[in-house]
Amino acid sequence: MAEQPWGQPYPVRPHQQSYGQPWQPVPTAQSAMRASNTDRDRTVDVLKAAYAEGRLSREEYGQRFDAVHTAQTYGQLAQLVADLPAGPMPGPFGPAAAGLPAAYGPVPMPVPLPMPVPARRVNGMAITSLALGVLSLPTLGAAGLGAVATGHVAKAQIRARGDEGTGLATIGLVLGWLSVGGWVLLFLLAGFGALD
């Protein structure tokens, strides 16, 4: 501790330390908080931008990228981007999270607008199932089996790919099963009629 002119002690600032001693970040409560996958993704975005702008070499980018995925706290993530212009990042990022004074952090930059999320595509088999289900009414149930088959395929594809169209496949299945059920009922009635 150094003394102020009036005799009161005050903490030594990083730039006042002697040159032989490396300055260590002061741990804060925020820097010890556990980081989430979203926080890691934000840090990777900062690293990608810095690499694209030529601020990091390929080796530095690779080392920091690997370190992001092993980092467990906000402080560890903040130290990986403390020397890069990251802009005013939300939450516990920035110089304060790493225990750095604000004067030693990156210059604030405007935050880019988020990229629009592309809409999920509608599953083609779900559309086919709905079309065959609707066509089973004017064709007296002839398209019902096709509606059922394509409806089940569509449901499986939607689960696997995350496509849209669950409602379309369900309607196609219902209409297909109704037409198949109608034909089964017709054959049963005809069979019972033949027995009489």
Side-chain angles (χ1 to χ4, degrees), residues 56-128:
L56 295 175
S57 68
R58 181 185 300 254
E59 292 78 25
E60 288 175 309
Y61 173 74
Q63 291 168 355
R64 292 187 190 202
F65 183 85
D66 293 339
V68 165
H69 295 291
T70 59
Q72 295 188 0
T73 64
Y74 286 134
Q76 292 169 340
L77 290 176
Q79 284 179 347
L80 294 172
V81 295
D83 60 340
L84 301 174
M89 298 184 76
F93 282 98
L100 299 170
Y104 293 92
V107 177
M109 296 174 65
V111 177
L113 295 174
M115 295 293 291
V117 178
R120 295 188 299 174
R121 67 184 189 110
V122 178
N123 185 280
M125 293 300 273
I127 296 171
T128 305

Side-chain angles (χ1 to χ4, degrees), residues 23-58:
W23 179 75
Q24 295 295 320
V26 178
T28 63
Q30 203 172 30
S31 66
M33 290 174 56
R34 293 189 68 84
S36 69
N37 288 335
T38 304
D39 301 319
R40 289 183 190 89
D41 291 342
R42 279 194 210 112
T43 306
V44 168
D45 289 342
V46 173
L47 293 176
K48 284 179 184 175
Y51 178 65
E53 294 168 356
R55 298 179 193 275
L56 295 175
S57 68
R58 181 185 300 254

Side-chain angles (χ1 to χ4, degrees), residues 117-142:
V117 178
R120 295 188 299 174
R121 67 184 189 110
V122 178
N123 185 280
M125 293 300 273
I127 296 171
T128 305
S129 176
L130 176 64
L132 289 174
V134 170
L135 285 175
S136 67
L137 299 174
T139 60
L140 299 175

